[in-house]
Amino acid sequence: MRIFVAIVISLCMLVSGAQGQTPKDEGAIRIMRSGSQPSRQGSAENFTGSVRVDPLFLATAPARASGFLVTFEPGARTAWHTHPLGQILIVTAGTGRVQRWGDPVEEIRQGDVVWIPPGQKHWHGAAPNSSMAHIAIVEQLDGKTVEWMEKVSDAQYGAPLHSQGASTDTGAKPRPSQGAIPDLAPKFAELTDDVLYGDVWERPELSKRDRSLVTVAALIALNRPEQLRPHLIRARENGVTQQELIETITHLAFYCGWPNAVNAINVAKEVFSKK
């Protein structure tokens, strides 16, 4: 009898303990805080150059989509690869390149969204003189999201962009300095295009994005609104965001004076309203 009573008491204690535990809510919202996911360098086997991969979310059944923030330094890119269910790229910063096997290289910029269909051999990465970051979203098929292939050669990476290839348009191509220097001074325009834009801006020591920030900052400090206008446009084209340009003007107000910053803000307002 004592043994039976002991068993009953033990069972009651187990039931009571189980009822006192709070079951995990599988349907609860989960927040992955910024910086909480481990970052890693892109594998040298699958990437060329410096690449950082930050996991954003991983597939949890029954869902099968995963997302990653991938940051490429200038000249860095993936190897050729395919995805069994395709891939979406959302460019969040800078200027980059993407190419499907057999197609010309396409340029991609901040704000662009790229859809790569299932099974298409392709690569993507940064431009030669600009870093690029994108969010990559892929889905699993039988536990697999990607099939890696050979590296992208320098010749493949350096091929002309689609917009730079042969064209049936016989019209003259706009000069890089078109917005700043009129045709009235052809030699001055030629020197500016060949030396400043053709040589200095193409040097690899600074990305075009960084050169734009330096140039914009100098023109704000010198209070040159007419020259600032085309360089704000160029800065946007080189991957500098509107918020970064406004912050640059705000910061420089303390160094080069309020009037210079006010003039720069008015020029920026005009440029941004025409985007």
Side-chain angles (χ1 to χ4, degrees), residues 7-260:
I7 293 174
V8 170
I9 292 173
S10 298
L11 288 173
C12 289
M13 291 177 65
L14 288 171
V15 171
S16 176
Q19 289 177 342
Q21 295 176 355
T22 302
K24 183 178 179 181
D25 185 357
E26 295 294 340
I29 292 175
R30 288 183 294 165
I31 300 174
M32 280 70 77
R33 298 296 180 187
S34 176
S36 65
Q37 307 278 21
S39 179
R40 68 176 189 271
Q41 286 294 116
S43 165
E45 182 180 357
N46 301 325
F47 295 90
T48 297
S50 179
V51 180
R52 189 178 75 251
V53 180
D54 293 286
L56 299 178
F57 58 92
L58 300 178
T60 302
R64 56 186 183 183
S66 300
F68 304 85
L69 173 62
V70 188
T71 306
F72 300 82
E73 291 304 310
R77 67 267 191 184
T78 70
W80 291 99
H81 60 287
T82 64
H83 300 282
L85 294 176
Q87 182 181 49
I88 294 175
L89 305 177
I90 304 170
V91 184
T92 59
T95 304
R97 303 282 190 267
V98 65
Q99 182 185 22
R100 184 181 72 155
W101 184 264
D103 290 346
V105 181
E106 299 278 359
E107 185 174 78
I108 51 178
R109 296 179 178 273
Q110 180 183 12
D112 291 347
V113 178
V114 182
W115 163 241
I116 297 150
Q120 296 298 314
K121 183 177 179 180
H122 69 287
W123 66 268
H124 39 95
N129 298 302
S130 173
S131 59
M132 189 271 287
H134 64 51
I135 293 173
I137 301 174
V138 293
E139 290 187 277
Q140 293 184 10
L141 181 63
D142 298 328
K144 190 173 184 179
T145 60
V146 60
E147 180 178 350
W148 291 105
M149 302 175 181
E150 73 273 17
K151 292 283 194 74
V152 175
S153 69
D154 290 340
Q156 291 170 329
Y157 175 74
L161 296 178
H162 179 59
S163 60
Q164 296 175 348
S167 172
T168 57
D169 184 6
T170 57
K173 183 180 179 180
R175 295 184 287 103
S177 64
Q178 190 79 53
I181 301 176
D183 294 331
L184 181 65
K187 187 60 181 179
F188 183 31
E190 177 186 339
L191 290 171
T192 302
D193 294 335
D194 293 346
V195 179
L196 177 59
Y197 293 112
D199 181 11
V200 176
W201 277 79
E202 297 301 328
R203 290 168 60 83
E205 287 77 11
L206 284 177
S207 69
K208 289 186 178 180
R209 179 184 183 281
D210 291 342
R211 291 189 190 279
S212 279
L213 277 173
V214 171
T215 304
V216 166
L219 293 174
I220 294 169
L222 293 170
N223 197 15
R224 299 290 191 269
E226 290 305 315
Q227 287 74 38
L228 177 61
R229 186 174 288 102
H231 277 285
L232 284 176
I233 297 172
R234 179 174 291 271
R236 297 287 300 280
E237 293 173 348
N238 288 336
V240 186
T241 67
Q242 177 175 321
Q243 290 76 15
E244 288 172 329
L245 291 169
I246 294 299
E247 186 63 24
T248 299
I249 296 171
T250 303
H251 190 74
L252 284 170
F254 292 89
Y255 294 94
C256 63
W258 237 252
N260 290 19

